[in-house]
Amino acid sequence: SSGDYLHVEPSLEISHEYAQKEKDFNLKVIAPAGDTPWSAGGGWPGIEINRTIIGMFDFSLYDDADEFCFDVYSPEGNGLQKIWLTFVNTLNNSFYRGTEVALSPGRWKTIRVSVGELNATVTQPELYGFIATKRIIVRWGEFTDMDRVVYFDNFRMELNIK
């Protein structure tokens, strides 16, 4: 691969499939199979949360115990198996590269990362940690067996009052 991920660029659509409530919708991501598995040096395609949405958050309002959350559904058979979460700050540094999250085929799963966990990965969190979030990216490792599907819903902040 030439370093770009165009051959594995996902397609996105608004979907009612697997909606948690009637009339709800979610983001369906169709991730095409690639030619080199990530474990053998393949790529890391993904989706980025829209910058307009990021701009709606005042990241200074949240304490270490508060959590960035979203729900993900991986269908049985052709669902994505794992995802990774990356936060990028205003210096364009990836200050948080989450560990592998195994998805639960056939079930919705809530992914949670606390502000404290995010801030623990940067030297000056009050300047360059969660408060300085510029991009949030959900990635998966390139795979070769078949096109895979995953659904995302309800990106949010949850307050955990002590």
Side-chain angles (χ1 to χ4, degrees):
S1 159
S2 62
D4 66 53
Y5 298 137
L6 293 177
H7 66 296
V8 289
E9 184 175 337
S11 61
L12 310 176
E13 57 188 62
I14 299 300
S15 169
H16 295 284
E17 297 171 66
Y18 306 109
Q20 297 187 69
K21 294 181 204 147
E22 191 178 345
K23 298 186 180 178
D24 271 4
F25 58 90
N26 50 50
L27 177 66
K28 179 180 183 179
V29 178
I30 302 160
D35 47 30
T36 307
W38 64 271
S39 55
W44 291 93
I47 61 168
E48 181 172 339
I49 297 174
N50 184 298
R51 291 186 189 176
T52 304
I53 293 171
I54 298 263
M56 294 166 62
F57 283 93
D58 180 348
F59 291 101
S60 69
L61 297 177
Y62 301 101
D63 296 324
D64 281 356
D66 298 334
E67 296 174 312
F68 173 78
C69 307
F70 61 94
D71 302 324
V72 60
Y73 183 89
S74 178
E76 292 187 47
N78 68 337
L80 277 182
Q81 297 169 332
K82 301 171 186 173
I83 57 171
W84 287 259
L85 189 61
T86 302
F87 279 70
V88 178
N89 65 20
T90 51
L91 299 178
N92 276 327
N93 292 331
S94 297
F95 69 91
Y96 176 83
R97 292 184 187 191
T99 56
E100 167 185 303
V101 176
L103 301 180
S104 305
R107 292 201 343 247
W108 281 97
K109 180 174 188 166
T110 298
I111 309 301
R112 301 174 176 282
V113 185
S114 74
V115 172
E117 186 179 346
L118 294 166
N119 282 339
T121 64
V122 67
T123 317
Q124 293 179 284
E126 67 284 357
L127 295 177
Y128 305 118
F130 184 72
I131 196 170
T133 297
K134 179 179 172 186
R135 300 170 66 201
I136 302 172
I137 305 162
V138 180
R139 297 190 189 280
W140 50 87
E142 188 173 342
F143 48 85
T144 58
D145 57 345
M146 68 176 101
D147 290 359
R148 293 191 173 272
V149 179
V150 68
Y151 298 81
F152 294 98
D153 196 10
N154 200 11
F155 288 88
R156 64 198 181 275
M157 290 299 301
E158 287 190 3
L159 304 181
N160 290 306
I161 311 298
K162 291 180 182 174

